[in-house]
Amino acid sequence: MSSHGDPIPMTSSASGPLRGEAHVPGDKSISHRSLILGAMTVGETKVTGLLEGQDVLDTAKAMRAFGAEIEKTGDTWHIHGVGVGGFAEPDNVIDCGNSGTGVRLIMGAMATSPITATFTGDASLNGRPMARVTDPLALFGTKSYGRKGGRLPMTLVGAADPLPVRYEVPVPSAQVKSAVLLAGLNAPGDTVVIEKEATRDHSERMLAGFGATIRTEETDEGRVITLQGRPEFKPQTIIVPRDPSSAAFPVCAAIITEGSDVLVPNIGLNPTRAGLFFTLQDMGADLTFENMREEGGEPVADLRARFSPDLKGIEVPAERAASMIDEYPVLSVVAAFAEGKTHMPGVKELRVKESDRIDAMAIGLRAAGVRVDEGEDWWTVHGLGHGNVPGGATAASQLDHRIAMSFMVMGFATQKPMSVDDGGPIATSFPIFESLMGGLGAKIERKGAEA
Ligand code: S3P
């Protein structure tokens, strides 16, 4: 089922060569944070390059419900925020659609204001664990009342007299880290978050940009992040960089599709996000970083990906997992076209994304003729080599945009077309996916598999 409307079956088939430039949309993580931090700032924050995917639009709607004024003129989003601790109580239930990032960050942002809000989402989001966020928020004094197992729909009663907290994040999750930091904004004194594995650091960078006093120290315990509560935020002008997680799709498509040569300009290579690109290079992919530069304090490059017929399976370092957590589905597709096994350990978190991503990919890959072994926190794809992957299957996208896009990419290079039962979820993060890939020469049609 599609999250917003009827299912949209899609089929992709032998394509290529893929050629041209792929201008992918704005970064989803930074887009959510721009809206939320803008809503917590008095004055006008201006944002260009915002991802206009459904996940981010749902966060914009939520920020309006908490009292911010948000409008778009031309290419610019204007946010007039209410200040740290200034959120109004929403009149209605907050529907975050498909977005774990949206709901978890917003819960953090409202948790230390004396207001009550009820959150819900689609079937995927309502099945995902929220205790990982509400447990640390309880330390501030926030109360939560959800369904069994800490699931949405859930009501949060913000702490009227919040206490700052010191919290060690038990799972590698930027969403949990960010929720605690956002809650810490309206608590007096220092809130400290410790993470053993480095996860994406957009919240830390952006909080500093808005004027918070925040520092990160690398210690024997891990990364210790200290945020001073009750800052006076200054409105910002934000240019959202393009999303490396969306860039992954045209990059991987070019690598597996004969004769391809695709340039994906302006991609952020923040080391907490860029793990996939180094993994592809380790597999022997012809992927280069051109025009390396710094923009807004972040490393940026134009990625050039070319067809790579001699990919080899590798052991993906477990310590790289957090920096490429959203990219494993499409990596598993590339692995199917490599010679030999690609083993991916340390990836338990994949089981609690928009879908159980190991399960969703393994089922579709097996149906397409590829052997996959799996355990609770690892999986192995047995590659067949270029030209040898049968395809000819319909995969269930399970309300998960990245599952749908991964199988569409796979179909460009399989012997028989690949289908998904519902490409609707693609619009949550990459609404121009079909037209962008089509412009490069890829064949994607809105229809199911041939009978
Ligand atoms: C995100 C963090 C990651 C990632 C998600 C975006 C963020 O989730 O998978 O797509 O913007 O903070 P986890 O925090 O669950 O790892």
Side-chain angles (χ1 to χ4, degrees), residues 27-30 32-33 100-101 104-105 128 132 171-178 199-200 202-203 245 273 322 325-326 349 352-354 357 401-402:
D27 190 278
K28 181 154 71 72
S29 294
I30 295 175
H32 282 295
R33 287 160 174 80
T101 308
R104 291 181 176 134
L105 267 55
R128 296 179 69 184
R132 53 177 53 201
V171 285
S173 167
Q175 293 174 1
V176 175
K177 169 178 68 177
S178 303
T199 64
R200 66 191 69 197
H202 305 303
S203 294
S245 298
R273 294 289 298 280
I325 195 68
D326 289 336
E349 281 295 299
V352 289
K353 296 293 180 186
E354 285 83 332
R357 285 184 170 159
H401 52 133
R402 299 199 201 283

Side-chain angles (χ1 to χ4, degrees), residues 37 40-42 82-86 112 181-191 206-214 226-235:
L37 292 173
M40 299 177 90
T41 305
V42 175
V82 292
V84 169
T112 46
L181 290 172
L182 290 169
L185 284 173
N186 199 35
D190 284 355
T191 285
M206 293 179 74
L207 283 163
F210 272 85
T213 301
I214 180 166
T226 307
L227 170 77
Q228 221 175 74
R230 308 250 162 102
E232 185 93 9
F233 273 171
K234 293 184 287 294

Side-chain angles (χ1 to χ4, degrees), residues 120-380:
T120 192
D122 69 6
S124 157
L125 189 59
N126 287 359
R128 296 179 69 184
M130 294 298 145
R132 53 177 53 201
V133 172
T134 53
D135 285 353
L137 295 183
L139 304 174
F140 288 97
T142 311
K143 296 201 164 40
S144 60
Y145 306 92
R147 281 194 305 129
K148 220 169 53 212
R151 307 287 198 244
L152 302 180
M154 181 177 276
T155 296
L156 258 64
V157 180
D161 293 306
L163 304 165
V165 312
R166 182 181 176 88
Y167 188 69
E168 185 173 319
V169 184
V171 285
S173 167
Q175 293 174 1
V176 175
K177 169 178 68 177
S178 303
V180 178
L181 290 172
L182 290 169
L185 284 173
N186 199 35
D190 284 355
T191 285
V192 180
V193 184
I194 301 151
E195 59 176 7
K196 287 199 215 73
E197 288 175 55
T199 64
R200 66 191 69 197
D201 60 358
H202 305 303
S203 294
E204 296 91 305
R205 288 172 188 254
M206 293 179 74
L207 283 163
F210 272 85
T213 301
I214 180 166
R215 63 172 195 278
T216 300
E217 291 150 298
E218 307 287 344
T219 72
D220 292 344
E221 292 181 275
R223 269 183 159 191
V224 180
I225 304 153
T226 307
L227 170 77
Q228 221 175 74
R230 308 250 162 102
E232 185 93 9
F233 273 171
K234 293 184 287 294
Q236 297 298 300
T237 298
I238 300 171
I239 303 169
V240 179
R242 297 179 191 276
D243 197 328
S245 298
S246 296
F249 295 100
V251 162
C252 290
I255 286 169
I256 63 170
T257 308
E258 209 155 320
S260 299
D261 184 347
V262 170
L263 188 73
V264 191
N266 283 322
I267 301 303
L269 290 180
N270 178 320
T272 62
R273 294 289 298 280
L276 171 77
F277 305 125
F278 304 114
T279 301
L280 291 170
Q281 288 178 330
D282 290 350
M283 294 173 83
D286 186 350
L287 172 64
T288 49
F289 305 139
E290 298 182 355
N291 193 14
M292 283 285 285
R293 57 204 184 269
E294 281 238 334
E295 273 175 24
E298 302 249 5
V300 171
D302 304 333
L303 308 185
R304 182 173 291 279
R306 296 190 178 90
F307 173 54
S308 309
D310 300 316
L311 297 169
K312 52 184 191 317
I314 62 162
E315 167 89 16
V316 182
E319 58 276 13
R320 210 182 264 173
S323 71
M324 51 180 288
I325 195 68
D326 289 336
E327 283 66 75
Y328 281 94
V330 74
L331 174 65
S332 71
V333 166
V334 175
F337 293 90
E339 293 283 352
K341 287 190 274 189
T342 295
H343 181 56
M344 297 168 277
V347 293
K348 199 162 59 195
E349 281 295 299
L350 289 179
R351 297 209 178 268
V352 289
K353 296 293 180 186
E354 285 83 332
S355 67
D356 174 339
R357 285 184 170 159
I358 298 179
D359 189 59
M361 288 308 299
I363 293 171
L365 286 166
R366 286 177 191 135
V370 180
R371 181 175 155 201
V372 181
D373 301 325
E374 62 179 291
E376 187 48 31
D377 76 338
W378 62 271
W379 50 324
T380 302

